[in-house]
Amino acid sequence: RSNREITTATGRYRGMRLSCRSTGMGTDNVEIVLAEVMEITDAATFVRIGSSGALQPEIALGDLIVSTGAVRLENTTDFYVHPGFPAVAHRDVVSALERACRDLGFTYHVGLTATASGFYAPQGRAMRTLPVRYPELADELRRQRVANLEMESSALFVLAHLAGLRSGTICAAYAQRTDGTFLDGAAKEAAEARCIDAGLAGIHLLWQVDTDGGDTIAARGNLVGRQAGWSQGTSGDDAGH
């Protein structure tokens, strides 16, 4: 079903009931979609599968990035929480997406994402006709070890957290902001396919864990970790995989 730029498809994936929905670009659209979905569902898990611009030079075009949280460079969420409120992905979702990337053999990175309120000036992109207030934004975020830049995740994380729901994001690097290069053609389509495959595999893992009867966040997180071959106390490397 479609209404304006929002299209929804519901079906089954490997036995799991699943809905896929486009939101359009930006946190304002994400807010509309999440608010409406939350009104008609119970205990939903939300995973954004999308595109982004890489900010760290070690992230190659086409690599995948799993977000641990988001820098809130937008103001949609200010209407829900204090400006200093963190936007954090749910740890179960992060773990499941990481495991999916490993199982599928995809190159991926784990780190912070920055969510901008627009595509051009809000991301520090130079333009011929319009002034940009923060032209060094991408460089500043890179120095702060932010992995990638996009336009949706902070709203997803904040609103899901407020509703007591799980959420996460996995994005493909369509652009490398450090050198101005972009993916196109078959390489872009292949990166998109990898991102979708990893996202679906991560969601399915969460569904399997939930179906096994995990009652607490800790139990689900430990089960994901054991299935991924982790030992208690082992820490991950946020610099990349």
Side-chain angles (χ1 to χ4, degrees), residues 33-47 88-93 155-168 206 210 217 220:
V33 168
L34 288 184
E36 294 184 353
V37 170
M38 289 174 183
E39 288 295 312
I40 61 173
T41 60
D42 293 315
T45 295
F46 298 95
V47 177
V88 182
H90 196 284
R91 66 179 185 176
D92 289 3
V93 183
L156 171 63
F157 299 160
V158 169
L159 297 186
H161 172 81
L162 293 178
L165 302 174
R166 299 180 301 190
S167 68
L206 289 167
D210 292 343
I217 292 174
R220 290 195 298 268

Side-chain angles (χ1 to χ4, degrees), residues 137-189:
L137 176 63
D139 287 338
E140 180 179 346
L141 292 170
R142 175 184 55 78
R143 290 192 297 270
Q144 295 169 357
R145 296 299 302 163
V146 175
N148 59 332
L149 184 57
E150 47 91 88
M151 295 171 57
E152 290 81 23
S153 291
S154 63
L156 171 63
F157 299 160
V158 169
L159 297 186
H161 172 81
L162 293 178
L165 302 174
R166 299 180 301 190
S167 68
T169 289
I170 184 167
C171 284
Y174 279 11
Q176 176 47 265
R177 295 296 299 271
T178 62
D179 60 16
T181 54
F182 292 85
L183 273 183
D184 57 15
K188 183 177 179 180
E189 292 178 3

Side-chain angles (χ1 to χ4, degrees), residues 83-150:
F85 193 91
V88 182
H90 196 284
R91 66 179 185 176
D92 289 3
V93 183
V94 174
S95 297
L97 292 172
E98 285 191 73
R99 185 196 168 188
C101 289
R102 287 195 300 272
D103 287 351
L104 293 168
F106 296 157
T107 301
Y108 74 103
H109 308 261
V110 180
L112 285 174
T113 292
T115 299
S117 59
F119 189 78
Y120 290 101
Q123 295 190 32
R125 284 188 164 95
M127 292 175 284
R128 182 177 63 86
T129 54
L130 294 173
V132 178
R133 186 177 181 185
Y134 301 111
E136 304 301 322
L137 176 63
D139 287 338
E140 180 179 346
L141 292 170
R142 175 184 55 78
R143 290 192 297 270
Q144 295 169 357
R145 296 299 302 163
V146 175
N148 59 332
L149 184 57
E150 47 91 88

